[in-house]
Amino acid sequence: MSISTLVKIALKALFRNRMRTFLSVLGIVIGVAAVITMVAMGEGSKKSIKEQMTSMGTNAIIIMPNRDRRGGVQMESTESLEEEDVVELREKATYINAVSPMITVSGQAIVGNNNSPTQLSGVSSDYLKIRNYEIEDGVMFDDDADRMAKVCVIGQSVIKNLFPEGNPIGKTIRYKSIPLKVIGTLKLKGSGDFGQDQDDVIFTPYQTVMKRFSATTNIRQIYCNSIGEGYAEKATEEIMGILKERRSWTRPTDPFRVFTQEEMITMVTSTSDMLSLVLTAIAGISLLVGGIGIMNIMYVSVTERTKEIGLRMAIGARGRDILLQFLIESIMISLLGGFVGIALGVAASEIIKNALNWPMIVSATSVMVSFGVCFATGVFFGWYPARKASRLDPIEALRFE
């Protein structure tokens, strides 16, 4: 019996029981759509994270005190970063081209009747280069001329919150009762690596924060960037060597932790990958349930059509023809569900992307894999019922009531 004839027989059988066929297809549709949507969400999240981490700065490196465990409790290193470390790195490091300390304080920024809970960051002028900020209006403060000066550079969100009616250049912001003169504004940057507003910033010379706001000589973090791609590892070794040499460090543990941009991206995306895998596995369960539904329907179909199978065998149909007939029915149900599920998954991804502004990427690979899984599902779950049908005894099948 030809394949075209078997396909026609399968189509007639499927249309004869439209509701049963619809419910079987529906199980596959839901499974495939769920898998494609979850994969699109995972891929979109990974791409978004990488883009946002890259916006942090090209080849960025962060230095901070190390953490170790003592008695099962995680504790910060007793060593602190200091201004002399920044000077040493600028003078001696050959694999980094910009260095900036960062000291932050929290509080309210006030201008007249307007106020905003904005973090104040003490940095050097190199920080803009490291984090890819650009001056839109005015100037950036000078590390030498503006040491401990009460001046600041602000982001667009601060401008919106504190200066809704005019140009902020030359005006004063009060932060913890200390006036800071606005000498520059930053270009719009957007959300950051963990969703924070990178435009809600006030930058002032780090010496100003150390002396006027926090009364400390310790620096929480030092930001650097390497001279180019592929130099992160050498820059890390060099930085650690300079910091240890300055302290004559001989202990086996490192006093500081150096994070490269590659490490940060890997750390964040690994968490995203795990979450995507779990969500996809959960969605895959619905596809498995759909396959079991196909097997159940095919068993019912074989039982209902036992006499028909016996009649076909009696007039010359071979066991292979019966096997292919039911297997084709199973594959057609699965592939139909696959086509509709792929379309629904792509549509759902677009709706989520546009309605919720969630990053979604439907890759060609996920579509092809979903289609292949549908075909495999039809073969796997249809094989046993089809095999059972092909092994029926014609005489017994004709007697079946």
Side-chain angles (χ1 to χ4, degrees):
M1 195 176 294
S2 66
I3 295 295
S4 60
T5 302
L6 291 173
V7 169
K8 290 177 182 178
I9 294 172
L11 285 173
K12 287 181 181 179
L14 293 176
F15 278 108
R16 225 176 12 239
N17 298 282
R18 290 184 178 84
M19 182 55 67
R20 182 191 298 174
T21 301
F22 170 75
L23 294 175
S24 299
V25 170
L26 185 62
I28 300 297
V29 168
I30 294 172
V32 172
V35 169
I36 285 182
T37 305
M38 291 300 103
V39 172
M41 188 175 294
E43 290 297 318
S45 297
K46 282 197 293 183
K47 183 179 179 182
S48 177
I49 288 170
K50 288 180 180 179
E51 289 177 349
Q52 290 175 356
M53 291 291 285
T54 301
S55 74
M56 171 183 166
T58 306
N59 308 313
I61 298 172
I62 302 176
I63 310 164
M64 61 180 62
N66 201 359
R67 292 178 179 270
D68 56 8
R69 288 189 173 274
R70 299 176 188 174
V73 179
Q74 192 176 51
M75 302 182 67
E76 194 167 284
S77 171
T78 55
E79 291 296 316
S80 300
L81 291 165
E82 301 171 349
E83 187 173 5
E84 288 75 11
D85 293 317
V86 178
V87 175
E88 289 275 305
L89 290 173
R90 282 177 177 162
E91 292 178 352
K92 296 182 178 180
T94 57
Y95 290 107
I96 59 177
N97 59 15
V99 183
S100 172
M102 171 174 270
I103 308 168
T104 58
V105 292
S106 297
Q108 289 277 341
I110 302 172
V111 176
N113 294 325
N114 300 319
N115 66 84
S116 175
T118 305
Q119 190 175 70
L120 178 69
S121 300
V123 298
S124 72
S125 57
D126 276 348
Y127 188 75
L128 300 194
K129 179 180 179 181
I130 296 169
R131 291 295 304 269
N132 290 339
Y133 281 101
E134 295 181 39
I135 293 291
E136 181 176 69
D137 192 13
V139 296
M140 181 61 176
F141 45 79
D142 184 88
D143 294 337
D144 296 321
D146 296 317
R147 285 179 67 88
M148 290 187 288
K150 291 185 283 187
V151 296
C152 66
V153 174
I154 61 177
Q156 293 297 317
S157 294
V158 176
I159 297 172
K160 180 180 178 182
N161 293 331
L162 300 181
F163 302 97
E165 298 177 355
N167 188 344
I169 300 297
K171 297 181 181 178
T172 300
I173 294 174
R174 298 193 67 83
Y175 200 94
K176 291 191 173 183
S177 301
I178 298 175
L180 298 173
K181 181 181 178 181
V182 179
I183 62 171
T185 61
L186 301 168
K187 290 183 179 180
L188 188 69
K189 191 170 175 65
S191 61
D193 42 315
F194 296 104
Q196 78 273 23
D197 185 359
Q198 294 187 108
D199 298 303
D200 189 18
V201 293
I202 301 177
F203 296 147
T204 192
Y206 69 92
Q207 298 95 341
T208 302
V209 176
M210 292 171 71
K211 302 299 182 183
R212 301 182 186 277
F213 289 92
S214 60
T216 181
T217 59
N218 294 337
I219 294 173
R220 179 64 181 170
Q221 296 175 334
I222 295 178
Y223 282 76
C224 314
N225 63 351
S226 61
I227 58 176
E229 292 185 13
Y231 288 95
E233 186 175 347
K234 291 181 179 179
T236 299
E237 293 175 358
E238 184 179 52
I239 289 167
M240 194 62 73
I242 292 171
L243 296 178
K244 286 183 177 180
E245 182 182 1
R246 180 176 174 272
R247 290 167 175 75
S248 301
W249 191 267
T250 58
R251 301 178 203 171
T253 57
D254 292 330
F256 303 106
R257 180 77 168 93
V258 180
F259 292 93
T260 64
Q261 190 175 41
E262 290 83 356
E263 287 177 326
M264 290 184 282
I265 290 174
T266 300
M267 181 175 61
V268 177
T269 55
S270 63
T271 303
S272 177
D273 286 342
M274 181 60 69
L275 181 61
S276 298
L277 182 62
V278 171
L279 292 175
T280 303
I282 293 172
I285 292 173
S286 61
L287 187 57
L288 176 64
V289 172
I292 294 172
I294 290 178
M295 179 180 281
N296 183 51
I297 292 301
M298 295 310 297
Y299 265 122
V300 172
S301 182
V302 168
T303 302
E304 288 182 346
R305 295 158 63 189
T306 300
K307 187 170 288 188
E308 175 191 330
I309 295 169
L311 182 60
R312 290 185 184 281
M313 286 183 169
I315 60 175
R318 297 165 296 176
R320 185 170 69 90
D321 297 325
I322 302 299
L323 175 69
L324 285 175
Q325 176 187 335
F326 284 92
L327 196 57
I328 288 172
E329 287 184 27
S330 173
I331 292 173
M332 289 178 71
I333 291 173
S334 187
L335 291 184
L336 179 59
F339 281 123
V340 178
I342 288 170
L344 185 61
V346 172
S349 298
E350 285 299 315
I351 291 171
I352 293 172
K353 179 180 179 181
N354 296 326
L356 303 179
N357 199 27
W358 190 282
M360 304 285 286
I361 298 178
V362 179
S363 64
T365 301
S366 65
V367 172
M368 290 188 291
V369 169
S370 298
F371 187 79
V373 168
C374 286
F375 180 81
T377 299
V379 173
F380 181 80
F381 288 101
W383 173 262
Y384 192 77
R387 183 169 174 269
K388 179 184 177 183
S390 68
R391 293 192 171 187
L392 288 175
D393 181 85
I395 304 298
E396 294 299 324
L398 287 170
R399 291 175 178 173
F400 183 81
E401 294 294 337

